[in-house]
Amino acid sequence: MRDEEGDVDKRQGPLYGRDEADAMRGRDDYWAAENRAKWDLLLDNLGPCERLFDLGCGWGQFLREARGRVPELWGADESPDRLSDIKEACPEANVVTCRADKLDLPDGHFDVVVTSQILHEVVLFGTDKETEAVLSEIRRVLKDGGRWLLLDHLDPGPGQATVTLPPRAIEMLLEFERRFAAYRAVHRDIEDCGAVELPRRCLQDFLTKLWARGSAMEEMEMRETHCIFRRWETIAQAERAGFRVDRWILFSDIRADLERVGGKLVGSRPWFRKFLMAATKA
Ligand SMILES: C[S@@+](CC[C@H](N)C(=O)[O-])C[C@H]1O[C@@H](n2cnc3c(N)ncnc32)[C@H](O)[C@@H]1O
């Protein structure tokens, strides 16, 4: 499929159907601690806000958190299956089903737009020009001086990490390396100390995609890398789109993900694998 300007659309219909939406809901407990940190960070950075718009809102998990804090709540998502529980999670939310690059919403309407872990999907699965179009839509629907909170996965860069992993996790790493299709993922055994060395990007994708093994989300996760956004490129892109970047906050320590599988970083620096960027419509 091509849009009016001939840009190739890499997909037909929403990324998440019923099975994928159910698989995500089924893992809410797995991500509970991480989500708590995510919602708290967003709430702490909301600032004065009468009207909030959560773009890529899923089943309304953040809108539910913002209830009582913000008088008017709005959410949009392209997937009717992801949105199907939103009225239960946040009955007062105004909900729109649409793609992020063509928001069915008026100009200058919101104090704050939140995009939490949607933009990497736009970059990876959208058309070449879609990210630009999404940023332009976010700017359009914001009031003058309105704020955009972008929360997403950070690229940890090209270095290597050395880790110890228990045998079960090594088995899962081998399976991940066989199936992962976003790039060639490989590790190297360090025989004398029982550790493995692998690219930081590979470790980050492995640890953050384990949850999807055997679920309806596995196929999509195996085609998508979580090593997406780089700080200065992201800031430059936001500035080109007409935003002034006010804050860049790192969170989500890779060591917590390693602990989940009984692993440890040995002899390499830890890193944060997510960021929150706060920007103002310039
Ligand atoms: C990984 S989930 C994130 C959900 C939630 N915001 C969070 O932080 O947990 C990404 C959401 O964005 C939606 N999405 C992805 N691409 C989209 C697009 N181009 N337009 C609208 N929604 C999109 C998906 O349907 C999904 O609900």
Side-chain angles (χ1 to χ4, degrees):
M1 190 162 56
R2 283 174 186 273
D3 68 14
E4 296 104 46
E5 289 174 19
D7 202 359
V8 181
D9 199 341
K10 297 173 201 146
R11 63 190 171 94
Q12 311 263 336
L15 285 170
Y16 297 78
R18 181 77 268 156
D19 292 344
E20 288 80 9
D22 288 346
M24 292 285 281
R25 285 302 302 266
R27 295 301 199 277
D28 280 348
D29 286 350
Y30 184 92
W31 291 117
E34 165 130 349
N35 282 338
R36 187 67 266 148
K38 201 165 100 168
W39 309 141
D40 286 346
L41 193 58
L42 285 169
L43 290 171
D44 286 350
N45 284 277
L46 267 189
C49 180
E50 292 289 312
R51 230 180 243 157
L52 168 70
F53 173 41
D54 183 2
L55 173 56
C57 63
W59 56 265
Q61 49 278 54
F62 177 59
L63 290 172
R64 183 177 65 175
E65 298 291 330
R67 285 173 85 186
R69 289 275 298 262
V70 179
E72 205 176 308
L73 298 167
W74 290 71
D77 202 288
E78 64 163 7
S79 163
D81 292 304
R82 287 284 278 155
L83 287 169
S84 64
D85 299 335
I86 195 165
K87 280 293 160 202
E88 211 178 299
C90 186
E92 55 276 80
N94 301 280
V95 182
V96 181
T97 310
C98 62
R99 280 278 279 261
D101 57 324
K102 291 187 184 72
L103 296 177
D104 194 6
L105 291 164
D107 295 356
H109 206 59
F110 299 100
D111 300 294
V112 178
V113 175
V114 165
T115 52
S116 171
Q117 290 178 217
I118 167 181
L119 208 63
H120 71 280
E121 293 184 352
V122 172
V123 172
L124 289 166
F125 299 112
T127 61
D128 295 342
K129 297 190 195 113
E130 200 163 319
T131 309
E132 229 173 90
V134 171
L135 301 198
S136 159
E137 281 293 80
I138 292 170
R139 192 173 185 283
R140 180 182 68 76
V141 300
L142 274 171
K143 291 179 183 166
D144 287 340
R147 301 176 70 236
W148 171 34
L149 299 180
L150 164 64
L151 186 154
D152 222 306
H153 303 288
L154 188 69
D155 180 356
Q160 297 286 113
T162 307
V163 298
T164 54
L165 292 171
R168 178 79 191 106
I170 292 283
E171 259 173 53
M172 293 191 291
L173 176 63
L174 289 167
E175 184 190 321
F176 168 79
E177 287 173 348
R178 273 197 305 276
R179 302 220 43 211
F180 192 56
Y183 55 82
R184 185 159 176 266
V186 279
H187 75 276
R188 182 174 78 83
D189 291 315
I190 304 179
E191 299 294 347
D192 52 350
C193 66
V196 297
E197 188 189 57
L198 70 178
R200 285 150 60 103
R201 289 178 175 137
C202 174
L203 181 65
Q204 179 162 309
D205 273 322
F206 167 59
L207 293 172
T208 58
K209 288 167 181 299
L210 272 175
W211 69 273
R213 286 172 78 235
S215 82
M217 278 300 292
E218 185 168 1
E219 202 217 313
M220 185 169 135
E221 291 292 342
M222 289 302 119
R223 289 186 292 125
E224 170 202 70
T225 171
H226 284 160
C227 306
I228 285 285
F229 293 102
R230 285 177 284 274
R231 178 175 181 162
W232 297 111
E233 268 176 35
T234 309
I235 290 176
Q237 187 169 30
E239 286 173 352
R240 276 197 306 277
F243 292 92
R244 188 192 69 233
V245 174
D246 305 312
R247 302 194 74 185
W248 182 273
I249 300 166
L250 300 178
F251 72 106
S252 202
D253 190 322
I254 196 73
R255 288 174 294 188
D257 304 289
L258 262 170
E259 269 166 31
R260 256 184 223 276
V261 295
K264 266 205 168 104
L265 263 189
V266 284
S268 22
R269 274 183 305 116
W271 66 91
F272 293 104
R273 62 175 174 79
K274 286 193 181 173
F275 68 96
L276 172 70
M277 184 185 84
T280 304
K281 178 172 172 175

